[in-house]
Amino acid sequence: MVVDLDVCTGCQACAVACLAENNVGIVGEEEAAIGRAQHWIRIERYWDEGEYPEVRAQFLPVMCQQCGKAPCEPVCPVFASVHSEDGLNSQVYNRCIGTRYCAHNCPYKARVFNFFAPQFPSPLEQQLNPDVTVRSVGIMEKCTFCVQRIRRAREQARVEDRPIADGEIMPACVQTCPPGALVFGDAGDPDSQVSRLMASRRGIRLLEAFNTEPSVVYLKREGGLDV
Amino acid sequence: MSERGGPGSVGRGDRPGPTPVSGSTRTGPTTEEAALAFEAAGVKTAPALTEENLRDLDRDLDARVFGAMQSISIRYLLLVGFLGSVVAFGAFAFGWQIYKGIGVAGINRPVFWGFYIASFVFWIGISHAGTLVSAILRVLKVEWRMPLTRAAEAMTLFALMIGGLFPIIHLGRNWRFYWMIPVPNERGLWPNFRSALMWDLLAILTYITASSLFLLLPLIPDLATARDRTRGLRRRIYGLLSFGWRGTQQQWHRLHVAMRVFTIVVIPIAVSVHTIVSWDFGMTLVEGWRSTVFGPYFVIGAIYSGMAALITVLVLVRRSLKLEDYVTLRHFDRLGKVLLAVSVIWFYMFWAGFLTDWYGGSTVAKLIQHEHLVGHSAVLFWTMMVVNVLIPFILLWFRRVRTSMTAMLVISLLVNVGMWIERFLIVTSPGINSLSYNWGSYTPQWPEIAIATATFAAFALLYVLFSKALPLISLWEVKESWRVDRWRREGLIEAESDVPPLTMGVPAVTGATAVTGATAVTGATAIGGRGGAS
C-alpha cells in the first residue's frame, strides 16, 4: 500500500469505512478518551511549529504496516499472530488469549484490543459484514488489508481463469479515500501503480530504524495542500 | 570468631551459659546484646556443651516450636479470618473482571500492561529470598543460616504460587490460559517457543517444582519428629509426608546427598527465572524496555526485594512465634549487611542502564527518563530512589540500626515499596513511545488494586497457616549445627575443617564415628525421627 501524505486531507473517511467494513466495535466517548478506541486505521494529527492561527497540521494515516519482519509475531505464545503465505501479517482471533505482548512490541501501535465485548449500538448491528468475524472480549485485532476482499478477488480471478488486475482489490479505506491518497496493489508486480509510486524519491517507510520491513510506503509531503 | 563455620554462630554465644535450658528459661535481649558485644570483642562466650546439655536444648527447641504450632488462639483465628476475607474480596474482583471483561482494569493503548505485570515481577522477585538464603548460604556453608532456611524456602514457594497467578489474571481470556501449556491438544497447535512468555511459563513451572522439592526435602526429618510428637489424624498425615523416615544412617546419607545436589541445581534455576522475566521486557522492540542490562539488573533487584521481604517476615515470625533465642539479633545484623551490599549493587545496575539510555540519546528513552526525573512519574521515581538507595545506604552501616527490630522492619518494608515502584515504572513506561500521537497514561482501577492487595493477604495467610502446620525452623539442622560445633570444640572434627553439618550422621565423619560412634548415631536419630519421642 502507498499513502501519499501530500494528498491526504485528514478527513478520516478511511477510518469510518474501515469500521463499517470490518465490524469494528464502537467503544464510546469515555473509553476512547482513555485510549481504547478500536480504530484499525487512524489519522494521526501533528502540529507544526507556530502559533494559532499560523499553524499547519500534518496528517499521518497509520494502519497495520503488514511488516515483512513483524515484531508482533515471534512474541505471541500461542501463534495467534502469524505470517500468511501471501505475506500478510494475520491475527487468528480464535487462538488469541490476550497477553497483549504483540501490541507492546508493535512500534506503530497498530494493534487494538477488545477490552470489553464489542458493542454495535443500534442500528449498527444491522450492517455487520457477514464476511468478517465479529470478535469477542479479550482478544487482539488489527488491520487485515481487508483480507476478505483480497480472497474474494482472488477466487473471482481463479474462476474466470485470469490474473488479478491492478487496482481490482480495494480495501475499504482505499475505496473510500476522497482525494485518493491511499493506493493498494501488488508490490511484486513492477508495472502496478503501487510499484511505480513506491519508486518515488518521496517514498519512506515509517519508523524504518526498527527494521521491520513494512509493506506500507509513505510519500512524504513536499508542498501540496495545506490545511 | 570466624564468619563461616566458626564455632556455632547460632545457638552458641547467645545460648545461656552452662545451665541447660529447659522449657521455660529464655534469654532476653540483654543476653543477646551482650553476646554481640562479646563477639565484636572477639571473645568466645559460650562454654562447651555436654551431650546432656544438647538433649536439653533439643527438648527445649522441640517444645517451643511444637508448642507454638499446636496452640491456636482467638487472635490467630481473627487474623486468619481477616486475611481470608481480603483474599475473598480479591477473588470477587477477579470474578468481576472475568464477567465484565479485562477493561475493568485501567490498562489501555499504549499501556497494555499495568498493575498485574508489576505485581508479577514483584512476587517473582520476592521468591528469590528463599533461594539466596538457603541455597547460596548452604553452598558457602554459612552456619548462621540454619534457623532462617525454612522460613525463606517457604517464602519462595508462596511467592511463586502467587506470582505465577498474575500472568493468568492479566490475560484477556483467562479461561484459555492452558492454551500455553505444551501438550498435544484438540487444536493441533503447539505453543510458540520463540515467545519470551513461553520461556516464562517453563521457567516458573521449573522453579515451582524445584523450590517445592527444596522445601520438602529438608522437611522430612522434621516431619518425622512431628509425626512422633502427635496423635491421631495429624500423626497419620505427618507419617505419610515423612515417607517412613526413621533416621537411619542410610536415610541421612541419602538426604544429604540429595540436598547437596539440589542446593547446586536450584541456584542457576533461580537466576535464570528472573533473567527470563526481565527478557519479557528486555527482548522487545519497546523503547525504555529494550536493554541488555535487564537480565542481571532484574536478578539483583529480585534478590534485593527478596532479602528485604525475608527480613520483614523474620521480624514478624520471630515476634509472634517467640523465637527470639533462635533467630537472634546477630542474624539481623548479618542480613542487614547483606541487604546493604545488595542495595549498592542494585543501584550500580540501575545506573548502568540509566546512563546508557541517556548517553545513547534515543529520543523516546530520554523522554521516559525526563518523565521520571521531573515529569508525571517524578514523585514515584524519587520515592524509589530515597527508599531503595538513600535510606539503606545511610542507615545500614550502623550496627544499632541493623540490630533494631523496628528499624529493620521499617527499612525492609520501605525497600519493598521501592522495588514495587521500580517494577511499576518499568511496566508502564510504554506510555511514551515512538509515535507521540499514541502517548497515554495509566491509572489503576479498583479490581487491580483489590487483586494486588489480596495477594499480599494471600501470602500472609499461607504463611500463617504454614506456621501451624509445619515447623518454621529447620529443627534438625539447628540441632545438627550444635553437635557439629561440639565435636569441633572437643577436637573430634578439626576446628577449621570444612566438614559441613551436611555430612553429620554419615559414617564419613571420621572423628565422630571413631570416638563416639554410638552417641553420634543416637544423636542423629534424636535429631529427627524415632528417638525424639521416646
Side-chain angles (χ1 to χ4, degrees), chain B residues 220-234:
Chain B
I220 293 174
D222 285 354
L223 283 167
T225 315
R227 170 195 68 199
D228 295 341
R229 295 182 61 100
T230 45
R231 294 280 168 272
L233 182 64
R234 271 186 157 219

Side-chain angles (χ1 to χ4, degrees), chain B residues 150-362:
Chain B
R150 178 74 39 81
E153 285 156 16
M155 231 172 94
T156 295
L157 186 59
F158 298 155
L160 272 178
M161 286 159 64
I162 289 167
L165 288 180
F166 274 106
I168 298 175
I169 293 173
H170 110 117
L171 288 183
R173 299 205 286 173
N174 329 74
W175 49 97
R176 298 285 188 228
F177 79 92
Y178 60 89
W179 284 3
M180 280 180 73
I181 299 172
V183 287
N185 54 60
E186 82 288 355
R187 289 164 292 126
L189 194 64
W190 199 243
N192 179 8
F193 282 100
R194 291 185 304 164
S195 168
L197 297 186
M198 283 310 297
W199 313 341
D200 241 7
L201 178 90
L202 295 181
I204 289 166
L205 289 182
T206 311
Y207 196 29
I208 283 192
T209 312
S211 60
S212 314
L213 288 172
F214 200 56
L215 174 70
L216 184 65
L217 271 179
L219 246 180
I220 293 174
D222 285 354
L223 283 167
T225 315
R227 170 195 68 199
D228 295 341
R229 295 182 61 100
T230 45
R231 294 280 168 272
L233 182 64
R234 271 186 157 219
R235 183 191 172 91
R236 243 183 291 161
I237 295 173
Y238 285 132
L240 211 62
L241 288 174
S242 58
F243 298 113
W245 177 269
R246 293 170 175 283
T248 64
Q249 287 290 342
Q250 196 181 34
Q251 286 178 331
W252 278 115
H253 178 68
R254 285 183 182 156
L255 179 67
H256 286 306
V257 171
M259 279 309 294
R260 227 176 294 176
V261 171
F262 253 94
T263 306
I264 304 289
V265 165
V266 87
I267 294 174
I269 293 179
V271 170
S272 69
V273 167
H274 220 85
T275 307
I276 287 171
V277 168
S278 84
W279 286 346
D280 286 351
F281 308 98
M283 292 258 180
T284 61
L285 277 184
V286 182
E287 302 253 23
W289 282 1
R290 182 185 35 175
S291 159
T292 49
V293 82
F294 261 28
Y297 175 51
F298 271 49
V299 170
I300 200 71
I303 291 172
Y304 190 26
S305 64
M307 289 298 296
L310 179 68
I311 291 172
T312 311
V313 166
L314 279 178
V315 171
L316 298 177
V317 164
R318 174 182 194 259
R319 174 82 185 265
S320 53
L321 296 186
K322 300 189 172 51
L323 297 175
E324 283 89 348
D325 288 350
Y326 301 98
V327 183
T328 65
L329 292 184
R330 227 177 302 178
H331 288 112
F332 288 96
D333 185 32
R334 281 167 190 164
L335 286 172
K337 285 180 192 167
V338 178
L339 194 68
L340 175 61
V342 175
S343 158
V344 174
I345 302 173
W346 179 84
F347 179 68
Y348 165 70
M349 292 276 185
F350 166 82
W351 182 242
F354 195 84
L355 187 64
T356 314
D357 271 356
W358 175 79
Y359 199 86
S362 147

Side-chain angles (χ1 to χ4, degrees), chain B residues 400-525:
Chain B
R400 269 185 60 196
V401 173
R402 293 196 304 263
T403 53
S404 152
M405 288 304 95
T406 324
M408 288 299 272
L409 184 65
V410 171
I411 290 176
S412 63
L413 283 174
L414 283 180
V415 165
N416 264 323
V417 169
M419 287 310 292
W420 204 95
I421 294 175
E422 186 234 6
R423 275 67 180 257
F424 182 79
L425 289 178
I426 291 174
V427 168
T428 57
S429 75
I432 295 177
N433 49 62
S434 304
L435 294 172
S436 59
Y437 181 82
N438 301 293
W439 288 1
S441 66
Y442 166 78
T443 317
Q445 300 300 308
W446 74 265
E448 295 166 295
I449 298 170
I451 290 175
T453 313
T455 54
F456 284 96
F459 181 75
L461 184 63
L462 284 170
Y463 228 96
V464 165
L465 295 177
F466 182 82
S467 72
K468 294 292 172 191
L470 295 164
L472 257 179
I473 281 193
S474 184
L475 301 174
W476 68 270
E477 285 182 280
V478 172
K479 294 172 188 171
E480 191 181 76
S481 69
W482 292 341
R483 282 172 174 73
V484 168
D485 186 45
R486 170 164 168 258
W487 295 337
R488 254 195 213 119
R489 280 157 181 267
E490 293 178 0
L492 299 177
I493 312 175
E494 277 174 47
E496 291 309 313
S497 84
D498 242 6
V499 176
L502 280 182
T503 53
M504 139 110 203
V506 181
V509 183
T510 45
T513 35
V515 183
T516 56
T519 333
V521 174
T522 35
T525 36

Side-chain angles (χ1 to χ4, degrees), chain A residues 36 44 75 77 96 100-101 105, chain B residues 105 107 112 173 195 280 285:
Chain A
R36 290 176 178 178
E44 298 192 350
V75 299
C96 180
R100 312 188 284 287
Y101 202 8
N105 217 22
Chain B
I107 45 171
F112 285 97
R173 299 205 286 173
S195 168
D280 286 351
L285 277 184

